[in-house]
Amino acid sequence: MTKTERDQQQPCLFVLDTNVLMHDPSALFRFQEHDIFLPMVVLEELDAGKKGMSEVARNVRQTSRFLDELMQGVSKEEIDAGLRIPGMHKPLSAAAAQAAGRIFFQTRPLPSLLPDTLPGNKPDNTILGTTLALQKENPDRRVTLVTKDINLRIKAAVLGIHAEDYYNDKTIDDVDLLFTGVEELPADFWESHSKNMESWQEQGRTFYRVKGPLVSNWLPNQCIFTDGENPFEARVIRKDDASEDEAVITVLRDYRGPRNTVWGINARNREQNFALNLLMDPEVDFVSLLGAAGTGKTLLTLAAGLAQTLESNIYKEIIMTRVTVPLGEDIGFLPGTEEEKMTPWMGALMDNLEVLTQTEEGGEWGRAATNDLLRTRIKIRSLNFMRGRTFLHRYIILDEAQNLTPKQMRALVTRAGPGTKIVCLGNVSQIDTPYLTETTSGLTYVVDRFKDWAHSGHITLLRGERSRLADYAAEQL
């Protein structure tokens, strides 16, 4: 819905495709003062898609419940005239209710204006024919087809129908605007702010209280740095509630040196060092790491989890899970228990676990003992069985989080109990779930919604560290 359309005096008429409601049942309430039209074929497709335990089936059933509530106690004449769309979460005032849009159902056959090259027995073509008929009947209104099907939007444009994607589920307008968790400061920042800077030490850590106009843009647990002859790396601990341009920062531990290793590994670049500082801090309950393949997301997360589970005993066990969306054609049924079924999906985690357990100490016997210990403290779980569970003092790793919807992400994160840390890993440029994009992914959603919380942190990893072959392939292919 564009600003120009909202500004028009005559409300627009939006024809909703089935996939919009399958993706977001609350779309019925998102068009403000504009009207909605549901073709009968959309109701038929909703009825066909209501069975099953998938996210799409649950959304279809929720859509049907919303429509059923709208029709409670209304007559056929009121349905034909269009039903007022109430507020989703609270009743509207009298003035707002009067200005709210209406939802219209197809209660009579409409003449088909489709060309002979498009048969009308296909659901998509039926929706196109319905939209064309509505355009002819409402020449003074803008009739828009809203669909997440790109091919349907292409066919609509060929027929002269104004079609749009469903934009209300976008977390941000452009993925380039997504919070990176890192900010580079001017080289002279510390010199220019040293007069207004207070410093002290607590438990072996150095803290600074910084004031200045740049501070107003900082967020909790954001990592800041300066380059030059005297490089400096720090993390924002908190913002002053009374003053927007005042914050407390702490100097980061340098995990790139041999004296600070995490389960035998070191950070290889600045962003990895930032990530390890967040992963190793038990006060940070939620960490999200974005980055292309080979940037070290999984290796860093596993190393931090093993160190805090087996060495520090901060967490009881590590739980690994991921979205089971195949890259290519599905290979079919997987036999075995829940953990055995999930093992083929956990190749990336297992590869990194093998790297972390390749210690020379103890030889083959030492490695075998380490692997036996890890099996008792690392569990592989499926997302399909997360609903209703509560995890206490667990270190949860969610791989391929970009394939989750915002609703699925909410269902997972709310499983965390006291003492639990959740780490979400993903690459928003590699989304395999239908109808999800970089701006509507659940991973993008949590990064944006958690960036202001004092107990969450995010880092976008930029440099690949897998191998020179992988780095060259990522750049050239």
Side-chain angles (χ1 to χ4, degrees):
M1 191 187 307
T2 63
K3 185 177 185 297
T4 303
E5 291 168 346
R6 293 194 186 99
D7 292 340
Q8 291 178 347
Q9 293 183 354
Q10 182 72 12
C12 301
L13 181 61
F14 290 95
V15 181
L16 298 191
D17 190 7
T18 314
N19 51 50
V20 174
L21 298 173
M22 287 180 167
H23 180 71
D24 181 13
S26 64
L28 294 169
F29 309 96
R30 303 294 190 188
F31 291 87
Q32 300 180 11
E33 73 275 13
H34 302 289
D35 297 333
I36 296 173
F37 186 92
L38 291 184
M40 191 57 67
V41 67
V42 169
L43 299 180
E44 289 289 338
E45 286 190 304
L46 289 175
D47 185 60
K50 66 184 180 183
K51 297 179 181 179
M53 298 301 296
S54 66
E55 187 70 18
V56 170
R58 283 191 286 266
N59 288 342
V60 168
R61 291 192 291 270
Q62 182 59 59
T63 300
S64 299
R65 285 191 285 268
F66 282 150
L67 294 175
D68 183 59
E69 291 175 5
L70 289 174
M71 292 187 172
Q72 291 294 325
V74 299
S75 63
K76 176 66 166 60
E77 290 74 16
E78 290 175 304
I79 294 176
D80 292 341
L83 302 177
R84 287 287 183 188
I85 304 175
M88 182 177 177
H89 299 293
K90 59 181 180 180
L92 299 176
S93 63
Q98 188 64 28
R102 294 178 180 271
I103 181 169
F104 295 90
F105 299 88
Q106 184 178 355
T107 57
R108 57 185 175 82
L110 294 172
S112 177
L113 303 177
L114 288 175
D116 295 337
T117 53
L118 289 177
N121 56 349
K122 291 186 176 181
D124 284 356
N125 294 342
T126 302
I127 293 174
L128 289 174
T130 301
T131 308
L132 280 173
L134 290 172
Q135 278 185 341
K136 186 174 182 181
E137 291 185 356
N138 301 272
D140 57 336
R141 301 181 68 181
R142 183 164 192 175
V143 179
T144 300
L145 173 61
V146 182
T147 176
K148 299 194 72 65
D149 187 338
I150 296 177
N151 288 330
L152 183 55
R153 294 201 298 269
I154 293 173
K155 289 197 289 185
V158 172
L159 295 176
I161 297 173
H162 182 251
E164 292 184 0
D165 192 1
Y166 177 64
Y167 296 114
N168 199 272
D169 59 342
K170 283 189 176 182
T171 303
I172 53 178
D173 293 331
D174 194 320
V175 72
D176 291 335
L177 303 176
L178 186 63
F179 176 60
T180 63
V182 178
E183 181 177 344
E184 181 178 2
L185 302 178
D188 62 345
F189 178 84
W190 302 112
E191 294 180 5
S192 60
H193 289 73
S194 59
K195 295 181 180 179
N196 299 325
M197 193 180 300
E198 174 190 355
S199 65
W200 69 94
Q201 287 191 344
E202 291 181 11
Q203 299 178 348
R205 301 173 64 185
T206 303
F207 294 85
Y208 295 92
R209 189 180 302 278
V210 186
K211 300 179 182 179
L214 287 178
V215 177
S216 60
N217 297 323
W218 293 354
L219 295 172
N221 290 313
Q222 183 176 4
C223 295
I224 55 178
F225 72 94
T226 58
D227 274 328
E229 296 181 359
N230 298 310
F232 183 84
E233 297 177 358
R235 175 160 60 98
V236 180
I237 297 300
R238 63 179 180 272
K239 294 286 293 291
D240 195 314
D241 295 335
S243 176
E244 285 291 328
D245 61 351
E246 183 174 325
V248 174
I249 65 174
T250 184
V251 178
L252 293 179
R253 176 173 292 180
D254 189 1
Y255 287 102
R256 285 165 290 196
R259 300 178 64 180
N260 292 322
T261 61
V262 178
W263 201 258
I265 71 165
N266 291 104
R268 292 189 177 182
N269 56 56
R270 178 187 291 117
E271 286 74 25
Q272 286 192 356
N273 188 49
F274 292 160
L276 280 176
N277 273 272
L278 293 174
L279 292 169
M280 293 297 292
D281 189 347
E283 290 298 316
V284 181
D285 299 334
F286 182 88
V287 177
S288 53
L289 299 180
L290 264 67
T295 52
K297 303 184 298 295
T298 308
L299 184 65
L300 297 174
T301 302
L302 262 178
L306 291 172
Q308 295 174 94
T309 302
L310 299 179
E311 292 179 354
S312 306
N313 292 320
I314 297 175
Y315 306 104
K316 292 182 178 179
E317 64 181 10
I318 298 173
I319 295 179
M320 301 179 180
T321 186
R322 61 161 285 175
V323 186
T324 52
V325 178
L327 176 62
E329 185 176 350
D330 201 333
I331 62 174
F333 171 76
L334 295 174
T337 63
E338 177 188 359
E339 187 152 335
E340 291 170 340
K341 290 176 186 292
M342 288 297 298
T343 299
W345 298 99
M346 291 297 174
L349 294 171
M350 293 306 171
D351 292 343
N352 285 278
L353 194 59
E354 184 178 348
V355 173
L356 294 170
T357 56
Q358 288 297 322
T359 175
E360 297 297 328
E361 298 180 4
E364 293 295 331
W365 285 99
R367 282 194 290 271
T370 301
N371 290 331
D372 289 340
L373 176 61
L374 294 181
R375 289 191 190 98
T376 64
R377 303 296 289 274
I378 298 178
K379 305 296 182 183
I380 299 175
R381 294 291 179 259
S382 172
L383 282 174
N384 298 334
F385 307 105
M386 290 293 187
R387 193 178 297 274
R389 297 195 64 181
T390 300
F391 296 101
L392 304 175
H393 302 286
R394 299 299 195 273
Y395 187 92
I396 301 177
I397 303 173
L398 173 59
D399 199 16
E400 302 294 338
Q402 76 275 4
N403 287 318
L404 282 174
T405 66
K407 187 176 179 181
Q408 289 171 322
M409 184 66 77
R410 180 181 184 275
L412 174 69
V413 176
T414 53
R415 301 303 101 211
T420 290
K421 188 189 194 92
I422 294 182
V423 184
C424 292
L425 314 176
N427 179 9
V428 292
S429 64
Q430 294 183 345
I431 296 177
D432 302 311
T433 303
Y435 302 130
L436 275 187
T437 64
E438 294 176 340
T439 58
T440 62
S441 166
L443 184 55
T444 304
Y445 178 74
V446 293
V447 170
D448 186 69
R449 294 300 178 92
F450 273 80
K451 65 183 180 183
D452 296 311
W453 191 41
H455 298 284
S456 70
H458 167 74
I459 295 294
T460 298
L461 300 173
L462 303 175
R463 292 177 52 187
E465 300 289 352
R466 179 170 288 167
S467 67
R468 60 188 180 188
L469 172 59
D471 294 344
Y472 185 79
E475 294 176 1
Q476 302 297 326
L477 300 182

